[in-house]
Amino acid sequence: MTPSDLQPVRDHLARRVIGQRSFIDSMLICLLSGGHLLVEGMPGLAKTTAVKALAEAIECDFHRIQFTPDLLPSDLIGTDIYRHDKGEFEFRPGPLFHNILLADEVNRAPAKVQSALLEAMAEHQITVGQKTYPLPRLFMVLATQNPIEQEGTYHLPEAQLDRFLMQAIVSYPSRDEELKILELDSEQQKQTPQAPARPLSQAELFAMRRAVAEVYLDPRLNGYIVDLVQATRNPRLYDRDLGRWCRFGASPRASIALARCARARAWLDGETYVAPHHIQSAAPEILRHRILLTFEAEAEGVNADEVIRRLLGLVAVP
């Protein structure tokens, strides 16, 4: 499989979503890497539309669930239903048993719901009572959260944040892009958008994942990845300000995620090997939700992206 085999998916996304190229690339990289994506952005920036368009372009089961404070774990994982005709309980699966799950406003659900989602994301299974049920081989969570509304929201646990392969930040469109959005909306009022003639099959997707895994990653670049992640844990060795700003660094999952996503980025670029710039381009979305900053950093208006930018400038490239 080659990147050209993924072009119909790209074309469909481009027809449904104007701009947001970085966000679309993040979705494709997560899809090729077998990971989950956390999406943060203001309302109305086509986050939900983009996820739906991705599901339309792939041969899969899609489900959207709106996370609310009164949501229960059983609303996600399913529950045992008593069947009078059989005289026994029967498990009725919930939304987590779909291939692609859109968890809309994921930070509005309480801790019990987050823990149910955590098991599914981390272990590819769910547990009901004393029984464990495996999830589909293709299972991807795309979770959205609103960065401005804090009332009625819950902080996502660090353990759950670590299970997201990447965190994408969706920004406002440019003036030209917004003009194209108006044109697209006018066209969609006249006719319903068409799904791709032939969605990408799951067999093709898994073949693409195998091709991504075969992209060559030099051992010296493995060392570079580890050095970057280690630098988030020992930032004082590189810069005094970084030492004041970083409270906790990224886990070894970040190293694994960087290697996977760098391979996927290189494959999408048509390369057979990973170069340093593939690692550097993936680093912000891999690390920004895994670095915990100090109160001092927040008071100075420093965010995780600024920390990552400095580290990329300080850690030596082999």
Side-chain angles (χ1 to χ4, degrees):
M1 302 296 289
T2 65
S4 62
D5 296 309
L6 197 61
Q7 194 59 43
V9 178
R10 281 186 174 276
D11 292 341
H12 179 67
L13 289 169
R15 287 193 299 270
R16 295 293 307 277
V17 180
I18 302 299
Q20 307 298 359
R21 184 174 300 175
S22 176
F23 173 34
I24 289 174
D25 283 348
S26 297
M27 289 197 299
L28 294 178
I29 288 172
C30 277
L31 186 69
L32 292 169
S33 304
H36 310 289
L37 179 64
L38 179 62
V39 187
E40 184 174 302
M42 302 291 282
L45 297 183
K47 300 186 295 294
T48 301
T49 300
V51 175
K52 286 183 176 179
L54 178 66
E56 290 170 354
I58 301 171
E59 185 183 72
C60 67
D61 296 324
F62 170 74
H63 190 89
R64 173 189 175 183
I65 184 165
Q66 189 71 37
F67 278 53
T68 57
D70 60 348
L71 201 68
L72 298 173
S74 59
D75 296 326
L76 274 183
I77 63 179
T79 187
D80 287 323
I81 303 295
Y82 185 74
R83 295 289 300 273
H84 290 278
D85 54 337
K86 296 181 179 180
E88 60 184 24
F89 284 94
E90 181 179 289
F91 177 66
R92 182 169 295 175
L96 284 180
F97 286 85
H98 291 76
N99 299 119
I100 294 182
L101 177 69
L102 171 57
D104 220 352
E105 296 189 281
V106 66
N107 55 333
R108 292 195 178 278
K112 284 186 177 181
V113 176
Q114 301 295 352
S115 64
L117 187 61
L118 178 62
E119 181 187 9
M121 293 171 61
E123 302 176 41
H124 222 78
Q125 66 182 28
I126 60 97
T127 302
V128 180
Q130 297 181 345
K131 290 186 178 180
T132 298
Y133 301 89
L135 295 173
R137 183 183 176 192
L138 173 58
F139 175 66
M140 181 180 181
V141 175
L142 295 106
T144 68
Q145 64 177 7
N146 188 331
I148 57 171
E149 295 180 7
Q150 300 303 319
E151 187 173 349
T153 63
Y154 299 84
H155 179 69
L156 293 181
E158 282 71 20
Q160 184 174 357
L161 287 172
D162 202 27
R163 263 64 173 194
F164 284 103
L165 186 73
M166 304 173 75
Q167 182 186 13
I169 304 296
V170 182
S171 57
Y172 284 116
S174 66
R175 184 178 187 278
D176 290 341
E177 288 171 344
E178 197 153 353
L179 285 171
K180 292 178 181 178
I181 291 171
L182 291 179
E183 294 173 4
L184 178 63
D185 180 69
S186 179
E187 292 175 7
Q188 290 180 351
Q189 287 182 351
K190 299 174 185 176
Q191 57 182 2
T192 305
Q194 298 296 316
R198 190 185 73 82
L200 184 75
S201 70
Q202 292 192 25
E204 290 172 321
L205 174 58
F206 291 131
M208 289 179 184
R209 287 184 177 180
R210 290 192 294 271
V212 167
E214 292 172 0
V215 173
Y216 178 70
L217 180 61
D218 190 275
R220 289 174 297 175
L221 290 183
N222 270 333
Y224 178 52
I225 287 172
V226 171
D227 287 344
L228 277 175
V229 175
Q230 293 260 333
T232 67
R233 303 173 203 158
N234 303 289
R236 197 176 296 274
L237 299 177
Y238 294 86
D239 184 275
R240 181 178 298 178
D241 286 336
L242 289 177
R244 292 190 299 110
W245 294 339
C246 292
R247 186 156 55 103
F248 293 105
S251 74
R253 282 197 188 94
S255 300
I256 296 171
L258 260 178
R260 286 185 181 182
C261 293
R263 282 191 170 98
R265 173 68 70 180
W267 186 83
L268 285 172
D269 288 346
E271 303 287 353
T272 58
Y273 60 91
V274 174
H277 68 85
H278 294 130
I279 298 170
Q280 292 164 349
S281 65
E285 294 181 324
I286 299 295
L287 297 175
R288 65 165 55 111
H289 59 295
R290 292 182 164 96
I291 296 175
L292 296 184
L293 302 181
T294 62
F295 292 113
E296 192 173 356
E298 294 178 9
E300 294 179 21
V302 175
N303 58 23
D305 284 356
E306 170 62 20
V307 171
I308 296 165
R309 186 188 65 78
R310 283 213 189 184
L311 286 174
L312 289 173
L314 292 169
V315 178
V317 179

